[in-house]
Amino acid sequence: AMKQDKRPINVGIGDLLQFRWPIIALASISHRIAGVVLFVGLGLLLYGLEVSLSSPAEFEGLKASLATPIGKGIAWVVLAALAYHFVAGVKHLIMDGSDSESLVAGTRAAYITLAVSAILIALVTVWII
């Protein structure tokens, strides 16, 4: 008789939430999410640029919109994504240019990326508030 395989056939959201993700994976996934946020945020920023250049009244309206909590929140999300994506991108460039391809070096680099990004995001928070 064949031994029955007890592995799950389908992996659901609950399974993914129970899994303990390595810090390297979390840093990588966060880098990709930040890239998507930047892609969408770039569209919003370009729209804001178009509105601000259309007339002086529209420029003042955009300034007023950015002073609201929602406007500040959008600006914070885009700037936080930019900070994280930049730091993670620099980490990738450094890691690609070095001989360090070990699990220890990758883990250390992921922690440094998260720490530096947290500092930059805290500075962005202070600046926006």
Side-chain angles (χ1 to χ4, degrees):
M2 288 183 97
K3 187 176 178 182
Q4 188 171 2
D5 192 3
K6 299 207 181 229
R7 294 181 298 171
I9 295 172
N10 295 320
V11 177
I13 295 293
D15 298 321
L16 292 176
L17 294 175
Q18 291 177 355
F19 183 72
R20 187 170 180 268
W21 293 91
I23 192 69
I24 298 171
L26 292 174
S28 177
I29 292 166
S30 299
H31 186 214
R32 293 164 198 250
I33 292 170
V36 171
V37 170
L38 284 176
F39 181 76
V40 173
L42 182 62
L44 291 171
L45 292 174
L46 288 173
Y47 175 73
L49 178 64
E50 179 186 358
V51 168
S52 72
L53 295 175
S54 62
S55 73
E58 292 290 329
F59 177 74
E60 292 301 324
L62 181 65
K63 276 179 36 179
S65 296
L66 287 174
T68 66
I70 292 175
K72 287 181 178 185
I74 291 171
W76 182 86
V77 167
V78 171
L79 289 173
L82 179 63
Y84 183 78
H85 198 72
F86 176 77
V87 173
V90 169
K91 180 212 45 143
H92 279 289
L93 288 174
I94 291 170
M95 294 292 286
D96 287 346
S98 72
D99 293 334
S100 300
E101 293 185 3
S102 68
L103 181 61
V104 173
T107 302
R108 185 177 302 127
Y111 278 116
I112 291 169
T113 298
L114 292 173
V116 171
S117 297
I119 292 167
L120 291 176
I121 291 170
L123 291 173
V124 164
T125 304
V126 169
W127 183 51
I128 293 215
I129 293 177

